[in-house]
Amino acid sequence: MTKLLSTIQKTVILAGIVMAAQGCKIDIEPTDRYTEEAVWSNPANMELYINGMYNEFRTFQFGQFPIGYDNATDALTDIMKYTSTVAGNGTVNILATDASRVNAAGPMLNYWQAGYARIRRINEFLDGLAKYGKVDAVAKTQYEAEARFIRGYVYFWLVKLHGSVVLMENLDQYSNKNNPRASEEDCWKFVAADFQFAADNLPKEWDAAHTGRATKGAALGMLSRTWLYAASIAEYDKKQFNQDPLTGVSAGSATTYYQNAATAAEQVIALANEGYYALEANFANIFTNKSTREAIFKLDFVAPQITHQYDFGFTPPGDAPGQPMVYGVPTAELVDEFEMKDGTAFSWSNGTMAANPYTDREPRFYATILYNGASWKGRTINTQPTNSVEGLVEYGSTPEPRKTVTGYYTRKMLNPLVNDFMVYKSTQSWIELRYAEILLIHAEAKAKLNDLGAAATSLNMVRDRVGLPDVNPANATQMMNAIEHERIVELAFEGHRYWDLRRWRKAHTVLNDVRFTGHKVTPAGSGFNYEVISADNLDRKFTPALYYMPIYVSELQNNTALTQIQGW
């Protein structure tokens, strides 16, 4: 759809040539292509174009970025381990253990070219809409709001990666091929302005014919996420990791940006109070219920035209022996993070817990993790090494094990009712933004504003949904520890952990010079023994330079005003 304009321009249209009686030529419409006016004055064309631009969200569905594999971003962190050791299926492991793989010649974590191609298409749409759009004022403003919502999302990713990027607001800027980077603070403000405009001009909900389009709530949710990121950089970066004059956010802006994040989140909460959003009573159902009110913005799939292969990539091999890839599996670090159902922290030093580690855990554990003894699709999962179908394989002992290397399999987002995914693929929705995240954003922003009461209220709404007792941390530090824990277990495998560690500037400690683990389960008397094993054969590496990704050398050659991020 996004290539509509170029496609139309190539269409040959037969037409007569009008000449003046005296034989003099007059100005005529070109006869071998549509003019811009002809394209943009047709409301049907605008509808096709804006629909096509929503394809950009598929770049990031199921945490695919940066390498096109589901959950790849989480596999760079402490909550997931990819099983393969070879380039392709195991590229994420190579990136996680070799920081030198990210460089200006081929940075791997790259979205620059694709992102700016999309921004160009969006700006062409906005230009054509403004000049030639033949729709009423309300529709024109809504089209602009949708386009700016998508542009804000693209820039959100570019700024997360690079900090300082080139801001292209309109087509006039393209006449000058040399455009410099803007400051990171101005970049976050630009993203926020796009989302704010979208929030001001999009409806609270669309009619059935426009299901899936961005709404006021989606724009406010992305606005709150944007300000939280900007505030985090302002608080935590402090120019410790990069001396580029254009990266970083003024520390003095942190309070304002946290307040902005809280305000936007509160507007989403107000929409929830009006009935537009709600926490799903059954946590597992969120990800398979296409009508869940927890989803604020999501991508839907309909077989056979639009599908994905999440189940093929992550389902336990017993679902279709010899066929699922088992790209990634949960780490022991994630498993141990889930509390007991009474809110007690899980601990292997507690004899009762250690003897039966998978008993009486909180509901999100059972909705997220498949473990030895778990009931799944009418069978009992067996991860003991002696099991030939689903038993643990030591990481690195075979290039493509297609089995767990940690003793666990993912459960979250798999469809427990579908067994024919190898033939028909999968259709669960990808939820880009959901209500629980908004509550956690609000809790974090309020904690940073030292409003611990409001922070606890939002945090405990997330906990109350799964029957966990309220927490009331005594100070902001304890509150942030509680929020980080909650984000780990609530948002696992939704593509947040890597970016959280980066914005909190904790990645260079949590993800560096460390190996993550699994649990090997073997029989012991009437029970089992749980041995901690390494799921990595090399130390993880995250250097401070990775907080700001390099720009492709070819882009610097194409734009002489563009300078490389310092440190690369």
Side-chain angles (χ1 to χ4, degrees):
M1 297 298 182
T2 58
K3 295 182 179 179
L4 173 66
L5 183 57
S6 60
T7 300
I8 291 175
Q9 288 174 335
K10 294 176 183 177
T11 303
V12 176
I13 302 174
L14 299 178
I17 299 178
V18 179
M19 303 291 291
Q22 290 84 5
C24 297
K25 294 182 180 179
I26 62 172
D27 290 335
I28 59 171
E29 293 284 328
T31 59
D32 63 341
R33 61 190 180 276
Y34 278 133
T35 62
E36 284 186 283
E37 183 174 3
V39 172
W40 300 120
S41 63
N42 185 338
N45 288 343
M46 288 192 294
E47 190 71 8
L48 288 171
Y49 204 102
I50 197 72
N51 279 336
M53 287 195 291
Y54 278 92
N55 283 336
E56 197 63 28
F57 295 99
R58 299 197 64 179
T59 301
F60 305 97
Q61 68 187 32
F62 296 99
Q64 284 188 354
F65 186 81
I67 59 172
Y69 286 80
D70 296 336
N71 284 331
T73 304
D74 278 343
L76 290 170
T77 77
D78 51 350
I79 68 172
M80 172 165 276
K81 173 65 184 179
Y82 254 44
T83 62
S84 172
T85 62
V86 299
N89 294 340
T91 294
V92 70
N93 286 326
I94 297 171
L95 287 172
T97 56
D98 185 357
S100 70
R101 294 299 182 112
V102 178
N103 56 71
M108 299 296 286
L109 300 174
N110 177 51
Y111 178 55
W112 189 281
Q113 293 160 316
Y116 277 102
R118 179 64 70 184
I119 289 166
R120 174 64 184 256
R121 299 286 84 80
I122 293 169
N123 285 337
E124 288 174 346
F125 175 83
L126 290 170
D127 185 74
L129 175 69
K131 290 178 179 177
Y132 310 115
K134 289 204 165 53
V135 292
D136 62 45
V138 172
K140 182 176 284 191
T141 301
Q142 283 187 347
Y143 274 132
E144 180 182 354
E146 284 188 272
R148 291 183 64 176
F149 176 85
I150 300 167
R151 188 176 69 181
Y153 183 82
V154 172
Y155 265 119
F156 177 78
W157 274 96
L158 287 168
V159 180
K160 278 204 301 185
L161 285 162
H162 304 284
S164 165
V165 299
V166 179
L167 297 179
M168 304 297 287
E169 188 172 7
N170 54 64
L171 282 188
D172 293 340
Q173 292 171 268
Y174 291 90
S175 60
N176 178 11
K177 293 184 178 181
N178 299 314
N179 294 282
R181 290 187 283 122
S183 72
E184 181 173 2
E185 188 151 13
D186 284 345
C187 290
W188 286 117
K189 289 178 179 178
F190 183 88
V191 175
D194 270 354
F195 286 136
Q196 184 67 65
F197 183 88
D200 291 341
N201 293 287
L202 287 173
K204 294 179 181 179
E205 65 179 358
W206 292 88
D207 57 30
H210 295 85
T211 298
R213 305 278 274 265
T215 61
K216 184 182 190 69
L220 287 169
M222 286 304 305
L223 182 63
S224 66
R225 190 192 281 180
T226 297
W227 283 126
L228 185 71
Y229 271 74
S232 298
I233 305 304
E235 178 179 2
Y236 295 110
D237 185 73
K238 299 177 182 176
K239 301 300 291 183
Q240 300 174 79
F241 311 104
N242 187 287
Q243 296 306 307
D244 191 300
L246 294 174
T247 61
V249 176
S250 170
S253 299
T255 298
T256 298
Y257 296 164
Y258 280 126
Q259 183 58 62
N260 291 348
T263 299
E266 285 161 4
Q267 290 177 277
V268 180
I269 293 169
L271 290 171
N273 292 337
E274 292 178 30
Y276 290 100
Y277 312 115
L279 294 174
E280 185 89 36
N282 185 321
F283 184 79
N285 286 354
I286 298 169
F287 309 99
T288 55
N289 176 12
K290 290 183 178 294
S291 300
T292 178
R293 286 197 297 157
E294 189 152 341
I296 296 175
F297 186 72
K298 64 186 174 75
L299 301 184
D300 284 329
F301 299 83
V302 180
Q305 298 91 347
I306 306 175
T307 59
H308 58 83
Q309 298 197 72
Y310 189 86
D311 293 88
F312 167 68
F314 292 90
T315 197
D319 284 12
Q323 299 184 75
M325 293 303 300
V326 193
Y327 289 129
V329 291
T331 62
E333 283 74 18
L334 173 62
V335 168
D336 293 350
E337 195 78 25
F338 290 91
E339 299 169 32
M340 307 301 288
K341 68 179 182 182
D342 65 358
T344 304
F346 175 81
S347 173
W348 286 99
S349 9
N350 180 305
T352 302
M353 295 180 187
N356 295 284
Y358 311 133
T359 300
D360 291 333
R361 302 293 282 272
E362 64 127 307
R364 289 175 297 190
F365 172 79
Y366 301 105
T368 305
I369 309 292
L370 290 173
Y371 51 90
N372 186 68
S375 178
W376 177 249
K377 293 186 177 180
R379 70 181 188 279
T380 299
I381 297 292
N382 183 346
T383 67
Q384 297 172 56
T386 54
N387 184 275
S388 61
V389 178
E390 295 176 333
L392 178 143
V393 174
E394 181 182 352
Y395 176 71
S397 62
T398 181
E400 296 281 7
R402 294 195 177 192
K403 293 182 183 179
T404 182
V405 296
T406 64
Y408 302 101
Y409 292 97
T410 62
R411 160 70 175 85
K412 190 176 187 179
M413 291 187 286
L414 296 179
N415 191 334
L417 303 177
V418 171
N419 290 304
D420 55 4
F421 56 85
M422 294 303 302
V423 177
Y424 299 107
K425 301 183 180 179
S426 303
T427 59
Q428 303 96 296
S429 298
W430 163 248
I431 303 177
E432 169 63 35
L433 184 68
R434 63 186 178 93
Y435 187 47
E437 184 196 348
I438 297 302
L439 292 172
L440 292 174
I441 290 173
H442 186 254
E444 184 173 344
K446 283 296 189 180
K448 294 299 185 179
L449 296 169
N450 206 33
D451 187 349
L452 299 187
T457 296
S458 290
L459 180 63
N460 288 327
M461 286 177 67
V462 177
R463 294 176 59 81
D464 291 348
R465 179 259 295 280
V466 291
L468 287 173
D470 288 354
V471 294
N472 292 287
N475 56 55
T477 299
Q478 292 178 11
M479 180 65 77
M480 274 305 300
N481 291 337
I483 290 167
E484 180 173 355
H485 159 77
E486 211 65 36
R487 287 185 70 91
I488 291 172
V489 297
E490 176 73 27
L491 303 176
F493 311 145
E494 295 179 54
H496 291 279
R497 180 62 174 163
Y498 181 70
W499 307 105
D500 281 348
L501 289 171
R502 288 175 91 253
R503 68 182 175 87
W504 290 327
R505 295 304 191 249
K506 296 177 69 170
H508 69 289
T509 56
V510 175
L511 305 180
N512 195 52
D513 290 335
V514 66
R515 300 186 186 192
F516 299 120
T517 64
H519 291 131
K520 181 166 74 172
V521 182
T522 53
S526 60
F528 294 98
N529 180 62
Y530 302 90
E531 178 188 351
V532 177
I533 59 168
S534 177
D536 289 322
N537 58 2
L538 295 169
D539 287 351
R540 301 289 184 107
K541 295 295 180 184
F542 188 102
T543 61
L546 292 176
Y547 285 123
Y548 291 102
M549 297 298 174
I551 301 168
Y552 259 152
V553 171
S554 60
E555 295 300 319
L556 304 177
Q557 295 168 342
N558 294 334
N559 179 358
T560 59
L562 183 62
T563 56
Q564 183 60 274
I565 305 290
Q566 281 192 19
W568 297 100

